[in-house]
Amino acid sequence: MQFAQLEIFTTVELAWMRDLTRRRNYSAATEEFRREHKVRRAFGKALGHAARLRRDSPEARTPDGKLMWIEAARALFRDANTSRAQAVAALERDRRRAAGDLFNWARFTSRWRIKYGTACA
């Protein structure tokens, strides 16, 4: 048996030193996924952080000091909640339901643009 003063290391350092192949449920495929996922997650977090910095920068403000993306979201919400827009949406929904077209590609692509558009811009 080998004794060591493990208290002198941080948990991150201990995790790095640990031999993962000796685990009971070790899987090479799982380890490969974890490595790839770690890289992808770091990249995604960096993209999100850059998008937030860009979104909240002083250049992203209107002359009266309001954030442009909030004002744009409010305008979209106002437009979407008018009675005419709701009537058109109900008519379109009924038409699509009658035609059997269940997947709304326009909604999917607009949500994709909203979610990932700041990262691509």
Side-chain angles (χ1 to χ4, degrees):
M1 181 173 256
Q2 188 178 18
F3 296 95
Q5 292 180 335
L6 296 178
E7 297 85 21
I8 63 173
F9 299 107
T10 65
T11 54
V12 174
E13 291 169 332
L14 287 173
W16 182 80
M17 290 188 284
R18 194 171 294 124
D19 184 12
L20 299 175
T21 59
R22 297 186 68 190
R23 285 192 332 215
R24 180 175 48 88
N25 59 349
Y26 172 78
S27 165
T30 304
E31 290 307 314
E32 183 181 354
F33 170 78
R34 281 195 182 133
R35 279 194 302 275
E36 289 178 6
H37 181 69
K38 186 177 180 182
V39 172
R40 288 174 188 269
R41 185 167 188 267
F43 179 70
K45 289 181 81 158
L47 275 181
H49 183 63
R52 279 189 294 281
L53 287 176
R54 215 172 25 249
R55 180 190 70 197
D56 297 337
S57 68
E59 295 86 34
R61 293 184 179 270
T62 58
D64 57 349
K66 296 180 179 175
L67 287 172
M68 279 193 268
W69 68 273
I70 290 178
E71 296 307 311
R74 284 183 179 148
L76 282 172
F77 187 73
R78 266 194 310 272
D79 294 343
N81 284 320
T82 62
S83 58
R84 180 168 183 214
Q86 289 175 350
V88 169
L91 184 65
E92 178 66 16
R93 188 172 52 246
D94 292 342
R95 185 199 62 76
R96 287 185 54 243
R97 194 174 286 147
D101 182 19
L102 299 177
F103 190 77
N104 187 348
W105 282 101
R107 184 171 176 217
F108 172 76
T109 53
S110 71
R111 282 191 176 198
W112 191 90
R113 273 192 226 112
I114 289 168
K115 189 170 182 183
Y116 299 107
T118 56
C120 298

